[in-house]
Amino acid sequence: GGSHKQLIDLLETRFEGFEVSKIVLPAKKWKWRMRSSSLFISSQIPVGSLVEGDVLFCSSMVNLPELLGLRGDLHKTRKILYFHENQIAFPQNDSIDQKQLVAASVEGGATICHMDRDLQFAWIQVMSCFVADTIGFNFAYNLNSFVDGLTQLWKLLPADQKCHKVQEVQTMIRSKSSVCYFPVEVPESVPLVPQLPEETPSS
């Protein structure tokens, strides 16, 4: 729904001459969509329908590595991941700030799922970046806040599980990423330049 639907509908009309297939879910229960969409999508793409050179265009709401694990035949496609928003910088409840979240998680006082921000969704997006071939962000702040926010997220990882330095991950993501501004289709009836009222000559 919303901007996600608007983008897909617009792209579908712009790629005339190409065979475009959409797989969508209702615009509700976004957390469950993010958890389970990979299983749903894997059941909707006929085996063998996508070949090398075809494009698999996914919203960042899709768990891309999980989808590829379910459907190994999709590895040969060109995988594009598009961020409308990111779960690292997404607004959170004011009842707990980020410093409290980090402290509570590091000290083991509560599990992540009991905290104000469920970092599972941010982690899904990070892992999707690892397997995507190309990453698009709708504006620069979205890209920068996601990549810069990895520094704080990486502090939550146990020391013996940090197989990558956060700087390496940030560099990898930036090397694949571009800012692709959200396309807007302006109705013909709407003038691109506002019409200013004519000045009345002074007497």
Side-chain angles (χ1 to χ4, degrees):
S3 64
H4 296 252
K5 181 179 185 303
Q6 183 181 355
L7 174 63
I8 293 301
D9 288 347
L10 184 58
L11 290 178
E12 185 179 26
T13 62
R14 293 304 185 201
F15 283 99
E16 296 181 2
F18 291 87
E19 183 179 350
V20 178
S21 299
K22 292 191 300 184
I23 300 174
V24 297
L25 285 166
K28 58 183 180 180
K29 299 184 182 298
W30 72 266
K31 291 183 178 181
W32 272 111
R33 289 207 319 272
M34 201 160 181
R35 293 184 183 112
S36 63
S37 61
S38 58
L39 181 60
F40 176 79
I41 294 170
S42 70
S43 70
Q44 300 299 302
I45 303 176
V47 175
S49 61
L50 294 178
V51 299
E52 187 173 356
D54 286 343
V55 172
L56 181 64
F57 184 94
C58 296
S59 159
S60 60
M61 299 293 289
V62 174
N63 188 329
L64 187 53
E66 193 170 81
L67 174 59
L68 297 176
L70 291 165
R71 290 288 303 273
D73 58 307
L74 299 180
H75 278 274
K76 58 193 174 186
T77 63
R78 180 166 183 79
K79 299 164 289 294
I80 300 177
L81 186 69
Y82 188 80
F83 280 76
H84 294 259
E85 67 282 312
N86 75 77
Q87 292 301 314
I88 289 180
F90 200 78
Q92 65 180 31
N93 193 299
D94 293 335
S95 62
I96 180 171
D97 63 25
Q98 190 69 18
K99 290 182 180 179
Q100 289 175 306
L101 171 62
V102 172
S105 299
V106 169
E107 293 170 4
T111 58
I112 287 177
C113 63
H114 292 149
M115 306 307 297
D116 183 66
R117 183 191 293 277
D118 190 340
L119 296 180
Q120 172 195 4
F121 303 113
W123 193 251
I124 287 173
Q125 292 185 330
V126 173
M127 293 298 98
S128 292
C129 288
F130 269 86
V131 298
D133 298 307
T134 303
I135 308 169
F137 288 82
N138 57 351
F139 57 106
Y141 172 79
N142 198 9
L143 167 59
N144 293 329
S145 63
F146 181 72
V147 174
D148 294 343
L150 290 174
T151 300
Q152 198 76 336
L153 181 62
W154 234 246
K155 292 179 181 179
L156 302 178
L157 286 176
D160 58 353
Q161 296 183 31
K162 293 181 180 179
C163 55
H164 296 282
K165 294 181 179 179
V166 65
Q167 295 87 350
E168 295 172 347
V169 179
Q170 290 169 321
T171 299
M172 177 272 294
I173 293 177
R174 285 195 181 277
S175 70
K176 298 181 180 182
S177 297
S178 300
V179 174
C180 306
Y181 295 111
F182 195 88
V184 177
E185 193 167 35
V186 181
E188 293 182 4
S189 59
V190 178
L192 295 178
V193 179
Q195 300 295 317
L196 299 177
E198 295 182 3
E199 294 185 3
T200 303
S202 58
S203 55

